[in-house]
Amino acid sequence: MDAATRTGTANAAQNGRAIFECRDVRVFYGEKQALFDVGMDIMEHRVTAFIGPSGCGKSTFLRCLNRMNDIIDGCRVEGSIRLHGMDVYSREVDPVHLRARVGMVFQKPNPFPKSIYDNVAYGPRIHGLARDRTDLEEIVHTSLEKAGLLKEVKDRLDSPGTGLSGGQQQRLCIARAIAVSPDIILMDEPCSALDPIATAHIEELIDGLSENYTIVIVTHNMQQAARVSQRTAFFHIGELVEYSDTEEIFTSPSDERTQGYITGRFG
Amino acid sequence: MTSTIMTQPTAAETRLGWESAEVRRRIRRRHAANRRLRLYGIAAICTAIGLLATLVVSLVLLGSPAFVQTKLDMPVLLNAQHVDPAQPARGNYRAIVRSSFLSLFPEGAAMSPRDQRALFRILSNGAPLAVRDHVVANPGDLGKTVTLSVPLSDPFDQLNKGKIRRDLPENRRTVTDRQLAWFDHLDAQGLISMPFNWAMFFNSDSRFPELAGMAGALVGSFYALMVCFLISFPVGIAAAIYLEEFAPRNRWTDVIEVNVNNLAAVPSIVFGLLGLAVFLNFFNMPRSAPLVGGMVLSLMTLPTIIIVTRAALKAVPPSIREAALGVGASKHQVTLHHVLPLAMPGILTGTIIGMAQALGETAPLLLIGMNAFIVEPPGGILEPATALPTQIFIWADSPERGFAARTAGGILVLLGFLVMMNMVAVWLRKRFERRW
């Protein structure tokens, strides 16, 4: 195995329990290989950041974790990804069920063109998580609360989610993901479409959420990775170059490609 | 002048001389080209509008007389001896109408039978029916004299509308000099009126233009469109959803896609032949029935609906699908809860436009016999019927003068429905259009 995997597993012991164990993950888009033998453990209740230049495979890898790549024609995943010891690509795993347990927040805020309430209530509704109306309301309220949005929208839960500001929409999407009580929340560059103030808001939120959730965040913003994450993985041209504690990556990277990227020499 | 004395222009200056005559000429030419292009566009639009206006104006001029009908407000003595009160529908209303009509003329009783026959030609064959309908509705009026408005026959309708020239020699008119005098006698008494022709909408087809209306065709078209909608809408949407959301991209789906597109371009008469060969001859379905008409029309609208539905589904941004998948919605939930509702306005718009096409379609209906002469509106989708375009076709084929106006009038009604449907489509699009 390459250096990256070794680094990743060596550090595992100091960081608590691994929730995702990924080994030799290879992804192909048709003939083209997009990821080469990626192996890493993602720690429970930690924020893990994936950084790297555009096209390095960080989003591709993120989308393997909840099998979002399944919907892309010609996409093939090899290797093993285990969630709580269960291979997510095995036959027994229903990708739909998996996606409910591994929530996702996307680059561009994408609330449903429905009311704020229905946006958050949709997941619990289709999964039958609420016993009755009051239970559902409770779920919606706590989810919005956790996403730090409740105060701003509690008087207009019936107004359309698409009418909120960009930052609010993104927090609504986070509330929507939280509402189905996932173990893990994947965030694919959640702040890249937001202004600095909204970004700061989301980053604060991620900090708070990491107490109860495992968060994996893809970002092209190195400062953001440094601010919010405890663990950072650096990807380059489809390879996991280095995976370690965030502080270590940013202060004393062991690979010179990482060094080059974080000092801004390429990327 | 001075510049030439001072320095020779450098190569760069000659090339980039923005003030040079060459550049100014180029700009002038470009502006002229812009103007020309704009003028071509305006000319094209004017041509199109002019043609459309010509069409509409000529139709209105030709068709408007069909919407009024010359009538005679005739005092009718409902002589009880001609009608059995127990069976008012079966009385001898011809005799009632004739005697009442004859009494309008002082010399009436003294006329020869031949003159009387010529006189009675002023009235429509529908006049006794109008009287009968009145008696059936008001049996208490038997024995009394009531004033009823009865239609005049087509030649006198045309005469009253000024379509028959009085200055022509008698042998070149459908109306004789004596009939003309009788008509003028009635007119002088103020008995001739020309009210709105409700018969155009509430009567069915007739051999007599003054009695012919579109009721049967309207009902027939309605039934055929219902059948067409009920078949093509669900089938079209289901097919489009499968092709767009579920089908793998492979050679088979490519073949299907190409064929759907080809089907949309097949001439409609081909579908008519198919309906004739398969539905009528093989499955022995009823001839002239709106059921078969609707089925044939649905073959035509189906590809249209599949194509617009696919386009509408494709227009729903992938971010919405990802959002739903991200919270663990399954494929059918993504499609039914999110994608389909968002695509619905587009689908409905396309469907209405497809239906409007089907409404105007004539050729396939001719082949399955929906151009039969049918005097009653159909009572259901299995009974013989005509449709709006085939009714127009039948009238256009008829020699009586009154049918010329009826034809144009029928086209106006058909166009009215088409415009209405397209307006609903436009409204839907405007109302529910969403920008991402």
Side-chain angles (χ1 to χ4, degrees):
Chain A
M1 255 311 63
D2 59 29
T5 315
R6 260 182 277 117
T7 329
T9 39
N11 278 316
Q14 310 154 18
N15 277 280
R17 206 154 67 86
I19 193 164
F20 265 119
E21 296 162 292
C22 312
R23 297 289 176 273
D24 306 331
V25 177
R26 292 177 294 273
V27 178
F28 301 84
Y29 291 120
E31 292 300 302
K32 191 175 165 285
Q33 187 164 2
L35 272 187
F36 298 87
D37 300 306
V38 172
M40 70 160 72
D41 288 349
I42 292 169
M43 299 305 147
E44 199 164 17
H45 298 312
R46 292 283 188 285
V47 179
T48 305
F50 294 173
I51 59 170
S54 304
C56 68
K58 55 193 194 298
S59 282
T60 299
F61 184 63
L62 186 79
R63 281 160 172 265
C64 289
L65 299 179
N66 67 344
R67 292 187 60 175
M68 214 54 178
N69 283 334
D70 287 16
I71 58 171
I72 298 170
D73 274 339
C75 179
R76 190 157 48 86
V77 179
E78 290 175 1
S80 94
I81 299 174
R82 290 173 179 280
L83 171 62
H84 294 306
M86 161 82 100
D87 190 345
V88 302
Y89 278 91
S90 75
R91 213 166 277 230
E92 297 88 69
V93 170
D94 174 25
V96 170
H97 185 69
L98 173 73
R99 287 185 205 125
R101 294 180 54 195
V102 183
M104 188 150 190
V105 175
F106 298 86
Q107 181 169 4
K108 206 177 137 227
N110 55 356
F112 301 131
K114 297 173 186 261
S115 72
I116 293 172
Y117 183 91
D118 286 338
N119 259 286
V120 183
Y122 180 70
R125 266 196 200 124
I126 58 170
H127 296 298
L129 296 183
R131 280 183 306 275
D132 51 33
R133 277 182 78 85
T134 45
D135 201 18
L136 186 61
E137 259 169 53
E138 161 111 33
I139 293 178
V140 172
H141 276 95
T142 44
S143 304
L144 285 171
E145 171 87 74
K146 281 185 191 165
L149 193 61
L150 188 63
K151 245 190 281 170
E152 293 154 64
V153 301
K154 67 169 179 285
D155 302 324
R156 47 173 177 145
L157 290 177
D158 290 332
S159 53
T162 41
L164 297 171
S165 73
Q168 288 174 323
Q169 287 189 16
Q170 197 59 296
R171 277 180 284 147
L172 178 61
C173 293
I174 292 173
R176 182 175 65 190
I178 293 172
V180 289
S181 10
D183 305 331
I184 303 143
I185 303 173
L186 309 179
M187 297 186 175
D188 191 356
E189 301 191 21
C191 302
S192 65
L194 304 182
D195 63 60
I197 293 170
T199 301
H201 223 108
I202 301 268
E203 285 178 8
E204 243 169 70
L205 182 58
I206 292 172
D207 250 357
L209 289 173
S210 64
E211 282 179 27
N212 298 310
Y213 301 92
T214 306
I215 293 174
V216 184
I217 178 171
V218 166
T219 176
H220 56 212
N221 177 336
M222 279 175 290
Q223 286 75 35
Q224 184 171 63
R227 280 193 299 263
V228 300
S229 72
Q230 286 91 53
R231 305 272 295 164
T232 296
F234 171 64
F235 287 79
H236 186 56
I237 329 181
E239 267 181 72
L240 175 58
V241 175
E242 191 164 355
Y243 176 44
S244 177
D245 284 341
T246 302
E247 225 183 278
E248 207 176 310
I249 290 257
F250 282 98
T251 52
S252 52
S254 56
D255 194 289
E256 59 183 81
R257 286 171 292 177
T258 320
Q259 174 88 40
Y261 182 67
I262 59 171
T263 52
R265 253 177 283 143
F266 70 89
Chain B
M1 289 295 125
T2 46
S3 66
T4 45
I5 299 164
M6 280 160 63
T7 49
Q8 203 68 1
T10 65
E13 273 169 351
T14 42
R15 265 207 307 277
L16 293 172
W18 288 112
E19 299 305 321
S20 73
E22 169 61 24
V23 166
R24 257 179 277 144
R25 195 160 56 241
R26 189 188 278 271
I27 290 175
R28 255 200 320 280
R29 272 212 305 272
R30 213 168 54 214
H31 283 226
N34 277 351
R35 262 198 307 279
R36 261 200 315 277
L37 187 61
R38 209 170 57 212
L39 274 177
Y40 292 152
I42 292 172
I45 286 179
C46 286
T47 314
I49 290 179
L51 289 172
L52 189 68
T54 314
L55 173 77
V56 171
V57 167
S58 73
L59 277 176
V60 168
L61 286 181
L62 210 59
S64 55
F67 293 97
V68 289
Q69 169 67 42
T70 312
K71 292 203 162 183
L72 174 66
D73 301 316
M74 181 168 66
V76 183
L77 171 62
L78 298 173
N79 196 334
Q81 76 182 58
H82 291 303
V83 183
D84 174 7
Q87 279 184 305
R90 302 192 54 189
N92 187 356
Y93 291 102
R94 217 168 141 93
I96 292 179
V97 167
R98 290 195 164 183
S99 61
S100 300
F101 189 50
L102 220 47
S103 67
L104 291 176
F105 299 89
E107 76 279 23
M111 275 188 209
S112 68
R114 209 181 141 185
D115 285 348
Q116 284 191 5
R117 271 205 299 283
L119 178 66
F120 293 144
R121 281 208 195 100
I122 295 177
L123 282 181
S124 162
N125 279 30
L129 302 178
V131 177
R132 182 195 66 185
D133 290 346
H134 177 83
V135 174
V136 171
N138 313 283
D141 281 355
L142 267 181
K144 297 179 196 160
T145 300
V146 291
T147 303
L148 292 179
S149 183
V150 297
L152 291 193
S153 69
D154 185 48
F156 296 91
D157 185 32
Q158 300 302 327
L159 178 72
N160 192 39
K161 287 172 182 167
K163 304 281 177 195
I164 291 179
R165 285 169 55 191
R166 287 160 181 266
D167 53 358
L168 283 176
E170 187 178 13
N171 59 3
R172 293 187 55 193
R173 285 191 240 120
T174 45
V175 177
T176 65
D177 285 344
R178 296 197 65 188
Q179 285 174 322
L180 217 49
W182 289 327
F183 178 82
D184 290 339
H185 170 71
L186 293 172
D187 205 10
Q189 287 178 270
L191 297 177
I192 304 290
S193 64
M194 201 154 64
F196 185 77
N197 182 16
W198 290 108
M200 183 75 176
F201 298 97
F202 293 111
N203 281 10
S204 279
D205 200 8
S206 167
R207 277 184 299 127
F208 306 105
E210 72 275 14
L211 298 178
M214 321 194 72
L218 285 169
V219 176
S221 266
F222 174 77
Y223 281 143
L225 279 192
M226 280 306 283
V227 171
C228 172
F229 177 80
L230 288 178
I231 294 174
S232 54
F233 190 66
V235 175
I237 288 185
I241 286 179
Y242 177 75
L243 287 175
E244 198 55 44
E245 303 286 328
F246 291 93
R249 288 257 159 272
N250 59 26
R251 184 189 290 219
W252 284 112
T253 46
D254 283 349
V255 167
I256 291 173
E257 183 164 350
V258 167
N259 278 306
V260 166
N261 290 335
N262 282 344
L263 220 52
V266 168
S268 57
I269 196 155
V270 175
F271 290 119
L273 270 174
L274 178 92
L276 176 64
V278 177
F279 298 148
L280 296 189
N281 292 346
F282 189 73
F283 289 111
N284 281 320
M285 292 177 125
R287 239 156 246 280
S288 312
L291 172 67
V292 183
M295 286 166 73
V296 171
L297 292 178
S298 73
L299 292 176
M300 264 190 50
T301 37
L302 196 55
T304 314
I305 291 184
I306 292 177
I307 290 168
V308 298
T309 304
R310 289 190 67 177
L313 291 174
K314 214 175 280 182
V316 175
S319 68
I320 295 294
R321 290 185 177 84
E322 283 188 336
L325 287 171
V327 294
S330 63
K331 195 97 194 178
H332 83 276
Q333 285 167 330
V334 175
T335 306
L336 295 183
H337 297 171
H338 299 284
V339 179
L340 195 57
L342 292 175
M344 221 17 143
I347 297 174
L348 286 179
T349 306
T351 304
I352 293 173
I353 288 167
M355 289 288 134
Q357 271 171 13
L359 177 66
E361 203 51 68
T362 326
L365 300 183
L366 295 180
L367 284 173
I368 56 146
M370 281 190 81
N371 57 338
F373 176 70
I374 288 152
V375 293
E376 287 272 293
I381 56 171
L382 293 174
E383 288 180 20
T386 54
L388 285 175
T390 47
Q391 187 67 67
I392 291 165
F393 181 80
I394 296 168
W395 284 346
D397 238 10
S398 305
E400 286 86 351
R401 281 213 70 152
F403 280 123
R406 284 281 194 283
T407 305
I411 291 171
L412 284 176
V413 172
L414 178 62
L415 285 180
F417 276 102
L418 293 180
V419 168
M420 230 156 64
M421 289 170 84
N422 285 329
M423 265 159 53
V424 170
V426 168
W427 177 81
L428 267 177
R429 196 160 47 206
K430 283 254 182 303
R431 172 79 180 68
F432 293 105
E433 190 178 48
R434 204 183 278 278
R435 289 185 194 287
W436 304 98

